[in-house]
Every structure is written in structure tokens, then in C-alpha cells.
Amino acid sequence: MMLEIQDLHVQFHTRNREAVSGVSLTIHDGEILGLVGESGSGKSVTAMAVAGLLPRRQCRYSGRILLDGTELLHADRAQLRRVQGKAIGVVFQEPMSSMDPLMKVGRQVEEVLELHTDLDPQQRRQAALEALAAVELPDPEGVYEKYPHELSGGMLQRAMIAAAIVIRPRLLLLDEPTTALDVTIQAQILALLKKLNQESGISMLFISHNLAVVRKLCGRVAVMQRGVLVEEGETDQVFYHPQDPYTQRLIAAIPTRRRKEERHE
């Protein structure tokens, strides 16, 4: 699998500067790429463009986004729907606002299978239970029957990841998936993502404003500031030898004790 973003520009009609300005990135098969920057840096808009979720009537956009050679940025809705969910899974920051509060968790995990496969209801249920087990949720059968408000934040985020991987996409887009969670749960989710990547070879674009989190998970990192890609490289190289002043400031903001601990890991 190869995702190529080529010279991506996005400008919303209500803004006087581009949200994304000439970004080019590649994600290779089985790779986890971290995309880092402050709020408003354009990283989420970049992910929306890859996922086919740009509100097209509200912005001007140009460039190319290729998934194994298939152009997505200018694809029509029907073609995008075939790719969304099937080849690309998406996990958002706030699982509670991303899930339907009136629908049981298991049915929501199954939804993408209903759209993209010919599986019968029993097979869909089985696939959903397997996905819930794969994200290490205790008692998948019990979780399947629960409503979102009955799960903790960490369990809900695991259920969201299960819904994103149930159809075995080749690329997972994760937009600040651990930000709302406490440090212990955050570490568990990162370990889970690493395990999924190693066991299934799924490629990931992991978006975060937190360089310390990215270092734990990603082999390569790209840094965005005000819509522009300012630095890209192997994670340790960027972390210990940042070239751009903005990256240097981001790293300087990480508590010193944590940096020392990570250097000795």
C-alpha cells in the first residue's frame, strides 16, 4: 500500500489564508507516520482530504491524493464511498460525539460491513465480535450489546478502533485519538495501535499535537505549522536533532524529565 499526497492546497471560503499549503507526503505499506502541529496547523484538514471528508462546496482545493495509484481528491462521491471504510478507516478524537448514542456498540461496529460486504447478519456479528476482541476489549459479547454511554472513554475509543478495522482497511487515519484520555489509558491505546500495526501490517497516519506521544508510536514524523510542512524525517532524528525553529520550540515544550527518561528507554 502506498498513499501519496502531492502538493495539497486547501482554502476555506471563509478564511483569507490556506488551511493546507502545498503539502506533499508519502506513507508506505505497514508504516506509521506521525503528523504533528498545534491547533490550526492544517493536520486535521490534511486527514479530512485523505478520508474524502472535505466539505467540497466550502473550500477550494488542488493537488493529488493517490492510494495505490487511485486518485481520491477529485474522485466522485460514488468512487469515494467505495474507498471510505473499505480501504481507509478513520478514528476521531471524541468517540462520544462520533458514535450514535441510540445505537448499540456492536451494530455500529458492523455498519461498514453492511455497506461494503455481502456478509449475512450472523457473519457480520461474528466479524464485529472478532474486531472487539482484537482491540482487547474484555467481554466482547457484553460490549456488543451496550450503548456508548455505558462504556468508559478508553473502552469507547477501543470500540471506535474496532469499527475502523473491522473491514481490514489498509490505512488507518487517527486524529488525536488519545487526547481526551488519561495518561494510563493513553499508553494502553498506543500499545494497542502498535500491536495492530505489527500483527496486521496496517499503515497509519497518526495526528497529534504531542511529539512525545508520536515518538512512542511512529517511525517517521512530519511537522506542520500554519498549513505548511516545515520538517519531516525519522522520528528520533527529528526529536533529537530538529532543524526547524518551530520543531525546536515544540520539543522544548516537552517536560525535561520526560525527555531524559525517553532518551534512556
Side-chain angles (χ1 to χ4, degrees):
M1 199 261 351
M2 164 94 80
L3 177 83
E4 288 180 89
I5 302 172
Q6 299 175 352
D7 194 27
L8 177 65
H9 291 260
V10 180
Q11 181 165 2
F12 291 97
H13 299 324
T14 52
R15 302 283 167 84
N16 54 14
R17 72 171 177 86
E18 290 185 328
V20 177
S21 190
V23 165
S24 295
L25 276 174
T26 302
I27 302 177
H28 297 281
D29 200 18
E31 180 176 44
I32 307 180
L33 174 70
L35 189 56
V36 180
E38 295 166 325
S39 276
S41 61
K43 56 193 191 304
S44 291
V45 177
T46 301
M48 283 166 68
V50 173
L53 298 173
L54 271 185
R56 291 181 170 191
R57 289 184 182 157
Q58 294 166 31
C59 61
R60 286 199 308 275
Y61 54 92
S62 65
R64 300 178 84 207
I65 296 176
L66 302 168
L67 185 67
D68 285 341
T70 301
E71 213 288 315
L72 302 180
L73 186 62
H74 304 280
D76 62 39
R77 286 286 171 211
Q79 189 179 6
L80 268 180
R81 269 195 295 276
R82 283 195 295 274
V83 173
Q84 284 167 337
K86 198 168 187 178
I88 299 175
V90 185
V91 180
F92 294 107
Q93 178 176 345
E94 290 289 349
M96 197 51 97
S97 57
S98 306
M99 293 192 106
D100 183 340
L102 304 176
M103 191 190 286
K104 287 181 178 177
V105 168
R107 292 285 297 120
Q108 296 193 57
V109 173
E110 279 177 30
E111 262 187 317
V112 69
L113 298 172
E114 227 167 312
L115 285 170
H116 293 290
T117 72
D118 300 324
L119 298 179
D120 64 37
Q122 190 52 44
Q123 290 170 318
R124 288 200 300 269
R125 179 187 163 85
Q126 189 53 40
L129 290 172
E130 285 170 14
L132 290 168
V135 297
E136 297 172 357
L137 275 163
D139 184 23
E141 299 257 358
V143 171
Y144 183 98
E145 296 297 336
K146 284 190 160 62
Y147 289 95
H149 72 269
E150 297 179 283
L151 299 183
S152 68
M155 288 176 79
L156 206 50
Q157 195 58 286
R158 286 172 189 267
M160 280 283 295
I161 295 168
I165 64 164
V166 68
I167 203 164
R168 309 207 172 163
R170 280 139 56 222
L171 176 66
L172 204 53
L173 303 175
L174 301 128
D175 192 355
E176 300 271 12
T178 60
T179 301
L181 306 173
D182 72 46
V183 176
T184 309
I185 305 296
Q186 190 177 77
Q188 290 172 5
I189 296 291
L190 292 176
L192 168 66
L193 291 172
K194 193 165 249 185
K195 184 176 171 219
L196 286 172
N197 167 259
Q198 286 166 350
E199 290 181 359
S200 68
I202 190 168
S203 304
M204 299 182 189
L205 176 63
F206 184 88
I207 292 169
S208 180
H209 64 277
N210 188 331
L211 256 177
V213 166
V214 163
R215 183 173 173 261
K216 284 189 170 69
L217 182 69
C218 306
R220 210 156 50 86
V221 63
V223 182
M224 283 185 78
Q225 180 187 26
R226 292 176 64 81
V228 177
L229 203 60
V230 294
E231 188 155 356
E232 183 192 350
E234 299 295 316
T235 303
D236 274 357
Q237 180 67 29
V238 171
F239 199 85
Y240 291 121
H241 307 286
Q243 302 300 306
D244 188 84
Y246 175 70
T247 313
Q248 291 165 3
R249 288 199 301 277
L250 280 182
I251 289 166
I254 299 169
T256 316
R257 184 167 150 238
R258 188 193 288 175
R259 284 219 303 283
K260 278 185 185 152
E261 282 169 4
E262 289 183 341
R263 192 180 277 272
H264 293 112
E265 268 176 12

